[in-house]
């Protein structure tokens, strides 16, 4: 193992051209620097410096060592900087629904991370009830969740229109019992969907279940069943069902933003960007 302190003195003597100036730059005595160079030469069993000239120059072996020494010292410096708390902005933990964690949010998060390369952004996606539980227990710094009426401590909230969706090409709405495409147990849409069908006396069965909104959307478009999903997620393979088909509208769902009051500047910045994006999405929600 080559001692970085000895390598540092060696590089400094070569760069300074003499021991006196190198000692001043290293804040050491000249005798200490001389002893360090001697120890390095003894450990490598070769002469590294030619002291016979007015200016101290590296020998052939010294020239070979010089490049390695610079690289070793640079790597050491990079390692210290990477692990130093002074050069880190810490970790920011964000939770959001799975349908927001995709292409809608990535440009914003990518730009945010590029502006703060020393900040580690941890994003969790999942069902809103679980994300809100994690926020309440201190596991998340910010949370974007869906609720039937936001809690009083949310920073902002927006309506999240829902729609009964069926396949455009292979409709399932007329089947009996009605096949349903649903999120797992405990999901907001699933509970409300089943409650509405029970209230109307409609027979139903679960034909497909997934925790992924993209998967549910594709299943509906393929004709596997009807589902209650965010209206903004409707695409060309879907048709919206209404009162005429026996599906009453369901309203009251909101998208709510929560953030800890002790957030630093990075967290506050991301919070404002999320607030702005959600407001824009609420304004451009497609009509029925």
């Amino acid at each position: 193992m080559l001692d970085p302190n000895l390598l540092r003195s060696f590089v400094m003597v070569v760069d300074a051209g003499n021991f006196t100036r190198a000692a001043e730059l290293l804040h050491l005595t000249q005798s200490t620097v001389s002893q360090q160079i001697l120890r390095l030469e003894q450990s490598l069993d070769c002469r590294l410096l030619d002291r016979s000239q007015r200016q101290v120059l590296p020998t052939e072996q010294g020239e070979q060592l010089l490049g390695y020494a610079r690289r070793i010292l640079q790597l050491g410096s990079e390692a210290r900087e990477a692990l130093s708390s002074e050069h880190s902005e810490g970790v920011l933990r964000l939770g959001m629904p799975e349908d927001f964690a995709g292409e809608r949010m990535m440009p914003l998060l990518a730009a945010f991370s590029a502006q703060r390369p020393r900040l580690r952004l941890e994003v969790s996606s999942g069902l809103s009830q679980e994300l809100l539980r994690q926020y309440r227990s201190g596991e998340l710094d910010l949370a974007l969740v869906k609720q039937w009426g936001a809690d009083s401590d949310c920073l902002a909230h927006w309506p999240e229109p829902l729609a009964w969706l069926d396949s455009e090409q292979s409709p399932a709405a007329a089947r009996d019992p009605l096949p349903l495409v649903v999120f797992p147990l405990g999901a907001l849409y699933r509970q409300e969907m089943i409650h509405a069908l029970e209230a109307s006396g409609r027979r139903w069965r679960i034909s497909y279940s997934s925790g992924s909104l993209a998967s549910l959307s594709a299943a509906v478009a393929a004709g596997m069943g009807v589902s209650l999903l965010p209206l903004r997620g409707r695409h060309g393979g879907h048709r919206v069902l209404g009162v005429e088909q026996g599906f009453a509208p369901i309203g009251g769902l909101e998208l709510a933003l929560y953030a800890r009051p002790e957030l630093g500047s990075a967290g506050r910045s991301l919070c404002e960007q999320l607030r702005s994006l959600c407001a824009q999405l609420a304004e451009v929600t497609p009509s029925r």
Side-chain angles (χ1 to χ4, degrees):
M1 296 291 291
L2 295 176
D3 187 334
N5 290 322
L6 304 186
L7 293 176
R8 185 175 294 105
S9 292
F10 168 68
V11 171
M12 191 63 71
V13 170
V14 173
D15 289 345
N18 63 76
F19 283 84
T20 302
R21 180 56 179 158
E24 293 174 355
L25 294 172
L26 291 168
H27 302 290
L28 299 172
T29 64
Q30 181 174 337
S31 62
T32 298
V33 174
S34 297
Q35 292 172 9
Q36 288 180 334
I37 299 300
L38 180 60
R39 286 170 53 197
L40 183 60
E41 290 178 329
Q42 290 174 340
S43 68
L44 294 172
D45 194 24
C46 65
R47 288 188 61 211
L48 299 173
L49 297 175
D50 181 359
R51 302 166 176 80
S52 64
Q53 306 295 322
R54 180 182 179 87
Q55 179 180 0
V56 177
L57 297 173
T59 63
E60 182 177 344
Q61 291 90 344
E63 288 180 337
Q64 291 179 325
L65 177 64
L66 188 59
Y68 290 111
R70 294 191 193 279
R71 286 160 57 187
I72 291 172
L73 294 173
Q74 179 62 33
L75 284 173
S77 177
E78 291 176 7
R80 283 191 297 272
E81 182 174 348
L83 297 175
S84 172
S85 59
E86 295 180 1
H87 295 87
S88 173
E89 293 187 45
V91 180
L92 188 61
R93 303 163 301 173
L94 167 66
M96 65 177 65
E98 184 262 344
D99 53 311
F100 269 80
E103 62 182 21
R104 296 177 184 272
M105 194 63 64
M106 280 306 109
L108 184 154
L109 297 181
F112 176 80
S113 296
Q115 295 170 358
R116 295 167 176 80
R118 292 170 179 163
L119 174 72
R120 186 169 84 243
L121 182 62
E122 294 184 354
V123 180
S124 301
S125 60
L127 298 179
S128 290
Q129 290 180 336
E130 175 60 18
L131 292 176
L132 190 58
R133 183 201 66 76
Q134 292 176 6
Y135 173 78
R136 297 292 186 207
S137 64
E139 299 173 53
L140 296 173
D141 302 307
L142 299 106
L144 192 62
V145 299
K146 299 178 183 182
Q147 296 177 281
W148 299 105
D151 296 343
S152 59
D153 61 333
C154 78
L155 293 182
H157 57 94
W158 306 266
E160 176 75 325
L162 299 176
W164 292 94
L165 298 180
D166 197 359
S167 171
E168 186 69 50
Q169 298 297 323
S170 304
R175 300 175 197 168
D176 185 31
L178 178 69
L180 300 180
V181 172
V182 300
F183 278 102
L185 279 169
L188 297 176
Y189 307 156
R190 173 175 175 149
Q191 295 172 348
E192 200 66 22
M193 185 183 347
I194 292 175
H195 176 75
L197 293 173
E198 292 284 354
S200 68
R202 183 76 182 266
R203 295 201 311 156
W204 57 271
R205 68 179 181 86
I206 293 176
S207 62
Y208 184 83
S209 176
S210 172
S212 165
L213 178 62
S215 178
L216 296 182
S217 179
V220 170
M224 295 188 68
V226 170
S227 190
L228 182 69
L229 296 174
L231 180 59
R232 58 183 168 75
R234 176 197 178 190
H235 58 68
H238 296 150
R239 62 188 292 252
V240 176
L241 301 173
V243 177
E244 300 81 4
Q245 294 84 26
F247 296 87
I250 295 177
L253 188 69
E254 293 183 318
L255 181 65
L257 176 62
Y258 294 85
R260 303 205 168 282
E262 65 272 17
L263 283 177
S265 60
R268 293 193 299 271
S269 174
L270 180 58
C271 185
E272 288 306 311
Q273 293 180 51
L274 291 173
R275 188 200 296 256
S276 176
L277 176 63
C278 291
Q280 293 173 22
L281 292 176
E283 292 176 358
V284 299
T285 299
S287 62
R288 293 174 183 266

